[in-house]
Amino acid sequence: MSGPDGLDETTSRPQHPDGGPDFERMIEALRSLQARVTGAAPPPETVTDVAEALEKLAATLEPFTVGERDQIAGHRGDLPGRGQAMSPVLHVDEWDGAHVLGRITFSRFYLGGNWAVHGGAIPLAFDEVLGRLASTGRTAARTAYLHVNYRKITPIEVELRVEAKVDRVEGRKRFLTGALYDGEHLTADAEGLFVELRPGQP
């Protein structure tokens, strides 16, 4: 048995996965780079050096650009965050087809101000978790709406608790809720509607 697609860290890893054994290392380095760039105040000469290095890296990858179905990032269910660096990684403690419990940490990359997570990053995290749960053991679904309530400041660089569950299913409609906690303090909660895709829908 495997967990929610892209959420289960117990899934056995393929022997020869797309991107090879260092793909995870590359994505972790990218996550670290995002946080370092956000939190740095380097001198101009260092900025120049880093810009040149990043331009070279982009040029190195450019010949390997593929269509969406063939890209690796976002499709490696055996890796934390499905092998993409857009949203913060959820570390799963419990899951089944009805609920997920886990931990998440927003790095400096997600800073909005005053050591608080940017307001736009919180819906991103909820959409990732609720969306994957909505499709666990079921036909894939897409977000129809996502409503987020901001209850308290959500701090960066602090391990937070995430709870998500399927409230009910009505035909193709799946209603889910989620909550984010700093210790015992609720910092944000969400409710979303995810609609099952019809055959052939992208």
Side-chain angles (χ1 to χ4, degrees):
M1 177 180 288
S2 62
D5 183 18
L7 298 182
D8 181 26
E9 295 176 356
T10 66
T11 302
S12 60
R13 301 190 175 197
Q15 288 185 333
H16 303 288
D18 289 341
D22 280 336
F23 188 84
E24 180 179 11
R25 178 183 169 197
M26 180 181 70
I27 295 301
E28 286 299 329
L30 177 57
R31 291 189 183 112
S32 178
L33 176 65
Q34 291 176 157
R36 294 289 185 268
V37 169
T38 302
E45 58 272 20
T46 300
V47 171
T48 299
D49 291 343
V50 172
E52 290 176 353
L54 292 176
E55 288 167 353
K56 289 178 181 177
L57 290 173
T60 298
L61 290 173
E62 194 279 331
F64 304 101
T65 301
V66 296
E68 178 184 349
R69 290 185 179 275
D70 295 318
Q71 74 179 43
I72 302 171
H75 296 279
R76 283 284 300 269
D78 61 309
L79 298 182
R82 294 179 293 119
Q84 55 83 25
M86 178 179 64
S87 57
V89 174
L90 174 72
H91 298 280
V92 175
D93 294 317
E94 295 179 21
W95 66 265
D96 57 28
H99 86 292
V100 171
L101 298 179
R103 293 158 287 115
I104 192 170
T105 302
F106 291 89
S107 74
R108 186 78 174 265
F109 177 65
Y110 300 99
L111 176 65
N114 295 323
W115 221 245
V117 175
H118 190 288
I122 294 172
L124 173 65
F126 275 129
D127 191 55
E128 175 72 8
V129 175
L130 297 181
R132 305 315 293 182
L133 179 58
S135 298
T136 298
R138 310 171 181 89
T139 303
R142 289 203 180 276
T143 312
Y145 75 72
L146 180 66
H147 178 85
V148 176
N149 299 302
Y150 299 88
R151 306 298 186 179
K152 295 177 74 72
I153 292 297
T154 300
I156 66 166
E157 299 185 352
V158 170
E159 187 174 76
L160 308 165
R161 187 171 84 256
V162 180
E163 299 179 359
K165 65 178 181 178
V166 178
D167 274 354
R168 66 187 190 280
V169 176
E170 297 177 359
R172 294 173 54 227
K173 297 179 179 179
R174 302 165 192 171
F175 298 86
L176 288 84
T177 57
L180 190 62
Y181 294 89
D182 175 16
E184 296 305 311
H185 301 290
L186 176 68
T187 67
D189 55 45
E191 59 181 73
L193 167 62
F194 299 81
V195 179
E196 179 182 327
L197 297 178
R198 297 182 187 279
Q201 275 189 298

